[in-house]
Amino acid sequence: MVFRVPIPKHSPFTLHNIPFGVISTESNPQKRCAIAIGDYALDLPLYLERILLLPSDHRRRRRHRLDEMFGRVFSEPSLNSFAAFPWSQRRDIRNHLIEAISEGSVPESCFVPMDQVRMHLPLRIGGYADFFCSLEHCQNCSIMTGGTKDNFHHSPMVYNGRASSVVASPTPVRRPNGVTWDTGKGSGEKPVYGASKKMDFELEMGYFVSKPVEFGDTMSIEDAREHIFGFVLLNDWSSRDIQAFEMPPLGPFHSKGFGTSISPWVVTLDALQPFACSPKHDHSATEFEHLRWKDRAVGTFDIRLRASLIRNGERHRITSSNMRWLYWTPYQQLAHHASAGCGLETGDLLGSGTISGDNEGELGCLFEATMDGANEMELKGGGKLGYLEDGDEIVLEGWCGEGEERVGFGECRGVLLPATC
Amino acid sequence: MVFRVPIPKHSPFTLHNIPFGVISTESNPQKRCAIAIGDYALDLPLYLERILLLPSDHRRRRRHRLDEMFGRVFSEPSLNSFAAFPWSQRRDIRNHLIEAISEGSVPESCFVPMDQVRMHLPLRIGGYADFFCSLEHCQNCSIMTGGTKDNFHHSPMVYNGRASSVVASPTPVRRPNGVTWDTGKGSGEKPVYGASKKMDFELEMGYFVSKPVEFGDTMSIEDAREHIFGFVLLNDWSSRDIQAFEMPPLGPFHSKGFGTSISPWVVTLDALQPFACSPKHDHSATEFEHLRWKDRAVGTFDIRLRASLIRNGERHRITSSNMRWLYWTPYQQLAHHASAGCGLETGDLLGSGTISGDNEGELGCLFEATMDGANEMELKGGGKLGYLEDGDEIVLEGWCGEGEERVGFGECRGVLLPATC
């Protein structure tokens, strides 16, 4: 009965990870919850069903710990109900799964090879807010935003994105049509309507709300951990010429809303805790009380990030970064979001904003890396990269730690389709 | 068996209206769909149930027309399923209800006095986009937005609002806390955190999407009517000092997201058609093709609007306006929203943006009417109005036509609660 699931050497999905997602398969097209381990998805409703068929001593033990607590939540087509459970109970189920997989007590039939699995959005997303919290990104984007504003240093900057156009990797995204200034630079030029000519990606992380905050209430930053379910990679696809047209004065709309990609496996806060670290920027002395995270040493996470381009079958690494570089951390972002009484709902998605650094090759989008397309990047084996071409694919990766203790996010992929005529 | 429902002389809910909403009652706390007529709500699932108990010749006729088509959709806690029906079928049910009420064939027991009804959000709102489409409002807000931008004249301006904090009248809304510049004017001042000191309302209309547009697809403006379920009044509560702090460069977030009120009865496009008219501003000669509405004479609707303040029990009329005054019409707004492939879902809410005019007393918010609080309005019976005080209530009203042919929206009310400490 013992089955040891193989975990390849560089797998993002080790026993230290156990990320949650929503799958379907050809033989069972119903969406349902799963975890990732090695090159397999573990079908959670199937597992719950099978362990009830085990010999009775096993059954009693498992039944008490799983069936009672999680009932049918894993048969739902999203992780919202699971994410709404208290942190301690979510931790219990994750610990149980780690133990059961380690001891080999999960029936082999519950594992589905990853290449036979179709991934879906992990949660039903009610609201999506995208932040602008990397000082380096902010400074590098000055030509688009009119310089780093005074407000940046006092409070996280954020706008509402479009929740209904967030898609799970590897769903393709289509180049939008829109009104732009003729050469895409700015006001004063002739307005034209057509396909965007300045297609970009943005290297971000996203995180999902677990415990809600009621409309009209606020949340203390000290409780922020209780309200975060877990993290994903997030590609905030952007159209820079539409953005330059539409930004003043209301901010981005179509330049971002035509599609946002996320990686499908949600890495829990528990899996990330061993990689807690201090943020690079220290502005704790001037922070408002409601944004102050007491223990700077564990104020954010050391998550290494990378973006690659696949063009004509060739994969080119184009940037790397680290979530530590963010000027305002996710805990501070969440505290800011909750501060005005708008409420937070289980399943709300928050985007970290583009994460740029100040080391070589740490520019989180093409607008920065190419100076709005003026300085094209040289691709290995010839070819140049300014803005994205139709058919280009962007792949984001992220991971903490190494070897058997690696906690990875897998990939967030998306191909850019040509605009409709 | 014949019951003639009384319709008071100035009722917004005449036989020419028949707006849809979601109600619950003390005796039946289940949310369900209803229409408004006179001072009554007509409980639609109850009606469908009762007409099946009528003598058989009646039953056969009704059964065919109602039961088959609408089944259980009116028992749902939102109008989303009904709104997703094709326009022609929604029109059929409205016409049937007009006929049945006119001939007195609706059993008296299906009518619930309005004062015994609790109203809820009429639709489950997935996305909420709020426009900025009144030229007069745009010009009057120049000091906040840095002047009327060139882009305003080429395309409707819009930002994503917070869908989950849209509430049904008369839900109270709480004054938000937030970071502002000390006197609320702008950059250069000391940043402070606390309760907003510049609370405002905005007089808008909202409209709901019926037929969806798939992610990646677009919609022709000629089909816009098919995609609109109906209209409501909308109060886009705003905090002007938080707005002045957070706007550059990403637009409004907390300054709008702490609450948005809508009137609970959705007035259908069919009810509004007799009041179709030309928009006041004619810029058809310079419009992009995808934003051009061919028949200007019926390009928008003649909807009269009014906002009042209730303070210390006294009601003060503070502004009036008309939806005709919008520079970009709802059809153009919808066509713009759909143009970049972000998709539209049944239940998405679009806000028209503040509707100001250039006649005396037609300024759609206090920021305009008081010049950012500098010129307080005199209230009848003494007292002054700058920005809103805790306990102030704002009441929006809107209507087309007069007497028996009046099509009204009822009221959109909301009391401003004090900030949390």
Side-chain angles (χ1 to χ4, degrees):
Chain A
M1 284 290 291
V2 170
F3 173 68
R4 305 274 176 211
V5 62
I7 301 174
K9 200 170 173 190
H10 297 294
S11 174
F13 306 131
T14 65
L15 271 169
H16 293 262
N17 194 348
I18 313 293
F20 289 80
V22 171
I23 65 166
S24 66
T25 48
E26 204 166 310
S27 59
N28 180 3
Q30 289 288 320
K31 292 183 195 172
R32 57 208 189 266
C33 303
I35 56 126
I37 181 80
D39 292 336
Y40 293 86
L42 168 51
D43 183 325
L44 290 173
L46 190 62
Y47 173 53
L48 283 172
E49 190 187 308
R50 291 286 156 84
I51 57 171
L52 297 181
L53 304 174
L54 290 176
S56 60
D57 56 329
H58 279 261
R59 185 165 61 227
R60 270 197 304 275
R61 189 155 58 93
R62 300 290 182 225
R63 188 169 199 153
H64 176 69
R65 293 182 55 188
L66 285 182
D67 195 43
E68 249 178 53
M69 248 192 318
F70 296 99
R72 303 302 292 166
V73 301
F74 289 132
S75 297
E76 294 180 12
S78 79
L79 286 157
N80 290 60
S81 295
F82 177 59
F85 273 87
W87 186 12
S88 61
Q89 292 184 19
R90 282 180 276 122
R91 181 189 291 173
D92 284 349
I93 187 84
R94 179 170 167 274
N95 287 340
H96 162 81
L97 290 166
I98 291 172
E99 187 194 321
I101 296 168
S102 302
E103 70 186 26
S105 66
V106 179
E108 188 172 353
S109 58
C110 299
F111 293 97
V112 191
M114 208 63 100
D115 57 11
Q116 292 172 27
V117 156
R118 183 170 169 209
M119 299 303 303
H120 302 274
L121 274 183
L123 286 97
R124 194 177 55 252
I125 304 169
Y128 164 44
D130 193 25
F131 284 82
F132 179 64
C133 285
S134 156
L135 181 62
E136 293 81 357
H137 173 65
C138 179
Q139 289 166 336
N140 296 333
C141 289
S142 281
I143 50 168
M144 184 162 53
T145 58
T148 304
K149 308 295 179 190
D150 287 354
N151 53 12
F152 184 92
H153 297 277
H154 304 300
S155 175
M157 295 289 105
V158 56
Y159 67 99
N160 287 301
R162 184 152 177 86
S164 59
S165 57
V166 177
V167 296
S169 166
T171 308
V173 164
R174 192 170 289 286
R175 182 186 295 267
N177 290 302
V179 180
T180 64
W181 299 114
D182 200 4
T183 75
K185 291 292 181 191
S187 173
E189 297 182 355
K190 186 181 140 203
V192 293
Y193 177 72
S196 168
K197 296 188 187 75
K198 294 190 172 182
M199 291 300 298
D200 203 351
F201 73 94
E202 289 192 333
L203 174 59
E204 302 195 16
M205 303 218 60
Y207 50 106
F208 284 101
V209 171
S210 49
K211 184 179 171 180
V213 176
E214 287 292 309
F215 173 67
D217 280 355
T218 60
M219 175 204 86
S220 164
I221 191 169
E222 289 170 35
D223 299 327
R225 280 181 181 147
E226 296 257 357
H227 294 267
I228 297 180
F229 175 50
F231 282 73
V232 292
L233 301 164
L234 187 149
N235 180 353
D236 177 25
W237 299 93
S238 300
S239 157
R240 301 305 182 188
D241 45 358
I242 295 178
Q243 191 172 6
F245 179 86
E246 74 180 1
M247 281 265 282
L250 297 176
F253 187 75
H254 278 329
S255 53
K256 306 279 191 171
F258 61 90
T260 303
S261 300
I262 61 171
S263 56
W265 294 106
V266 183
V267 176
T268 65
L269 215 53
D270 286 317
L272 293 173
Q273 287 303 340
F275 308 100
C277 67
S278 61
K280 169 183 154 192
H281 295 276
D282 184 2
H283 45 91
S284 48
T286 57
E287 281 160 10
F288 283 109
E289 184 63 29
H290 72 289
L291 297 175
R292 189 173 298 145
W293 184 256
K294 283 193 182 135
D295 190 358
R296 270 201 85 238
V298 292
T300 188
F301 299 99
D302 180 14
I303 302 175
R304 297 172 63 185
L305 299 166
R306 187 159 65 200
S308 303
L309 167 78
I310 300 177
R311 180 179 285 178
N312 303 324
E314 291 290 324
R315 186 164 175 150
H316 308 274
R317 193 176 298 180
I318 49 178
T319 195
S320 58
S321 195
N322 193 305
M323 198 172 77
R324 283 187 73 178
W325 301 169
L326 281 176
Y327 188 89
W328 294 101
T329 69
Y331 296 139
Q332 294 177 312
Q333 293 176 353
L334 194 70
H336 175 67
H337 197 326
S339 66
C342 67
L344 288 168
E345 296 185 340
T346 301
D348 279 356
L349 175 65
L350 285 76
S352 68
T354 306
I355 306 173
S356 296
D358 58 8
N359 300 304
E360 175 83 18
E362 288 190 337
L363 302 170
C365 65
L366 295 173
F367 182 86
E368 292 174 75
T370 70
M371 295 292 287
D372 192 20
N375 301 335
E376 291 181 319
M377 299 170 73
E378 301 280 344
L379 298 177
K380 266 190 190 162
K384 294 189 170 190
L385 172 62
Y387 281 114
L388 298 175
E389 297 176 1
D390 292 342
D392 280 354
E393 180 167 18
I394 291 292
V395 187
L396 308 184
E397 294 161 282
W399 69 97
C400 312
E402 292 302 339
E404 283 182 11
E405 294 179 5
R406 192 184 187 94
V407 169
F409 291 81
E411 292 181 332
C412 174
R413 305 177 79 112
V415 172
L416 183 65
L417 301 178
T420 52
C421 297
Chain B
M1 283 292 291
V2 171
F3 173 69
R4 304 274 174 209
V5 61
I7 301 174
K9 199 168 174 191
H10 297 294
S11 174
F13 307 132
T14 64
L15 270 170
H16 292 262
N17 195 348
I18 313 294
F20 290 80
V22 170
I23 65 166
S24 66
T25 48
E26 204 166 310
S27 60
N28 179 4
Q30 290 288 321
K31 292 182 194 173
R32 57 206 189 268
C33 303
I35 56 124
I37 181 79
D39 292 335
Y40 293 85
L42 167 52
D43 182 326
L44 290 173
L46 189 64
Y47 173 53
L48 284 172
E49 191 187 306
R50 292 286 157 85
I51 58 171
L52 296 183
L53 303 174
L54 291 176
S56 60
D57 57 328
H58 280 261
R59 186 166 61 226
R60 271 198 302 277
R61 186 154 60 93
R62 299 291 181 223
R63 187 168 199 151
H64 176 70
R65 293 181 56 186
L66 285 182
D67 195 44
E68 244 178 58
M69 247 192 314
F70 296 99
R72 302 302 292 166
V73 301
F74 288 132
S75 298
E76 294 180 12
S78 78
L79 286 157
N80 289 62
S81 296
F82 176 59
F85 274 86
W87 186 12
S88 61
Q89 291 183 19
R90 284 181 276 122
R91 179 189 291 172
D92 283 349
I93 187 83
R94 180 170 167 275
N95 287 339
H96 162 81
L97 289 167
I98 292 172
E99 186 193 323
I101 296 169
S102 302
E103 70 187 26
S105 66
V106 179
E108 189 172 352
S109 58
C110 298
F111 293 96
V112 191
M114 208 63 101
D115 59 10
Q116 292 172 28
V117 156
R118 184 169 168 211
M119 299 303 303
H120 302 274
L121 275 182
L123 285 96
R124 194 177 56 252
I125 303 169
Y128 164 44
D130 192 26
F131 284 81
F132 180 64
C133 285
S134 156
L135 181 61
E136 294 81 356
H137 173 66
C138 179
Q139 289 166 334
N140 295 334
C141 289
S142 280
I143 51 168
M144 184 161 56
T145 58
T148 303
K149 309 294 179 192
D150 286 354
N151 53 13
F152 184 92
H153 297 276
H154 305 299
S155 176
M157 295 289 105
V158 56
Y159 68 99
N160 286 300
R162 185 152 177 86
S164 59
S165 56
V166 177
V167 296
S169 165
T171 307
V173 164
R174 191 171 288 286
R175 181 186 296 265
N177 290 300
V179 180
T180 63
W181 299 114
D182 200 4
T183 74
K185 292 290 182 192
S187 174
E189 298 181 356
K190 188 179 138 205
V192 293
Y193 176 72
S196 167
K197 295 187 189 74
K198 293 189 172 180
M199 292 300 299
D200 203 351
F201 73 94
E202 288 191 335
L203 174 59
E204 302 194 13
M205 302 218 62
Y207 49 107
F208 285 100
V209 171
S210 49
K211 184 178 172 183
V213 177
E214 287 292 310
F215 174 66
D217 281 354
T218 60
M219 174 205 87
S220 165
I221 191 168
E222 288 169 35
D223 299 327
R225 280 180 180 146
E226 295 256 357
H227 294 266
I228 298 179
F229 174 49
F231 282 73
V232 291
L233 301 164
L234 187 149
N235 179 353
D236 178 26
W237 299 93
S238 300
S239 157
R240 300 304 182 189
D241 43 0
I242 296 178
Q243 191 173 6
F245 179 86
E246 74 179 2
M247 281 266 282
L250 297 177
F253 186 75
H254 277 329
S255 54
K256 305 280 192 172
F258 61 89
T260 304
S261 301
I262 61 171
S263 56
W265 293 106
V266 184
V267 175
T268 65
L269 215 52
D270 286 318
L272 293 172
Q273 287 304 340
F275 308 99
C277 66
S278 62
K280 170 183 152 192
H281 294 276
D282 184 2
H283 45 91
S284 49
T286 58
E287 282 160 8
F288 284 109
E289 184 63 28
H290 71 290
L291 297 175
R292 189 172 299 143
W293 184 258
K294 285 195 180 135
D295 190 358
R296 271 200 86 238
V298 291
T300 188
F301 299 98
D302 181 14
I303 302 176
R304 297 172 64 185
L305 299 166
R306 185 159 66 198
S308 304
L309 167 77
I310 300 178
R311 180 178 283 179
N312 303 322
E314 291 290 323
R315 187 164 174 151
H316 308 273
R317 194 176 298 180
I318 51 179
T319 195
S320 59
S321 194
N322 193 307
M323 200 173 77
R324 284 186 73 176
W325 301 168
L326 282 176
Y327 188 89
W328 295 102
T329 69
Y331 296 139
Q332 293 177 313
Q333 294 177 352
L334 194 71
H336 175 68
H337 197 326
S339 65
C342 66
L344 288 167
E345 297 185 340
T346 302
D348 280 355
L349 174 66
L350 285 76
S352 68
T354 305
I355 307 171
S356 296
D358 59 8
N359 300 304
E360 173 85 17
E362 288 190 337
L363 302 171
C365 65
L366 295 174
F367 182 87
E368 292 173 76
T370 70
M371 294 293 286
D372 192 20
N375 301 335
E376 292 180 318
M377 298 171 74
E378 302 280 342
L379 297 177
K380 265 189 193 165
K384 291 188 171 190
L385 172 62
Y387 280 115
L388 298 176
E389 297 175 3
D390 293 342
D392 281 353
E393 180 167 16
I394 291 291
V395 186
L396 309 184
E397 295 162 280
W399 69 97
C400 312
E402 294 301 338
E404 282 180 14
E405 293 179 7
R406 193 183 186 96
V407 169
F409 289 81
E411 291 182 332
C412 174
R413 306 177 78 112
V415 171
L416 183 64
L417 301 178
T420 52
C421 296

